[in-house]
Amino acid sequence: VISKAKSSHEQHTTAQITSAAFEPANFMVKCDPRGPDQRYMSVCLLYRGDVVVKDMNSAVATIKTKSTVQFVSWNPTGFKQGINNQKPTIPDGADMAPPARSVLNICNNTA
């Protein structure tokens, strides 16, 4: 979420929003799956807006290389991805800036 005041000088690429989707501060539950004994079982990334497949695949490949994102041994691939080319919408009169792209991370982990 970006305020209208900051929107003129901030740019959020597909790689940046994908990386932010895996930060526990951005989760809607109090959970930190980055511990040494924690593993992801599955991840579904749903993109919306100005996202191209090449950028999405590159961002996911980068996430897979991070030591903080580890999968259970029986599901090594673990990612499903989808793109909706329609721009994200915001309510009229909202304080946030209209984003060019967004991502929703739905995941299951052992934390």
Side-chain angles (χ1 to χ4, degrees):
V1 177
I2 302 170
S3 71
K4 288 180 181 177
K6 290 184 177 181
S7 67
S8 63
H9 64 275
E10 287 193 20
Q11 177 184 358
H12 293 281
T13 64
T14 302
Q16 288 172 329
I17 63 172
T18 303
S19 180
F22 286 90
E23 291 297 322
N26 295 326
F27 291 171
M28 297 186 83
V29 295
K30 188 173 182 177
C31 164
D32 191 353
R34 299 179 299 178
D37 297 328
Q38 313 303 336
R39 302 274 188 256
Y40 283 92
M41 290 186 266
S42 63
V43 173
C44 178
L45 295 172
L46 302 174
Y47 293 89
R48 187 172 180 109
D50 183 25
V51 177
V52 294
V53 175
K54 181 181 176 185
D55 293 344
M56 176 183 68
N57 289 337
S58 175
V60 169
T62 301
I63 290 294
K64 285 182 175 182
T65 63
K66 292 188 175 186
S67 62
T68 57
V69 179
Q70 298 195 12
F71 281 87
V72 291
S73 61
W74 47 266
N75 190 12
T77 54
F79 277 89
K80 294 289 182 188
Q81 300 140 238
I83 297 177
N84 179 337
N85 292 322
Q86 301 252 342
K87 282 191 170 188
T89 59
I90 59 169
D92 292 334
D95 290 338
M96 58 188 211
R101 64 191 61 82
S102 67
V103 64
L104 171 66
N105 178 3
I106 303 171
C107 60
N108 192 2
N109 57 56
T110 60

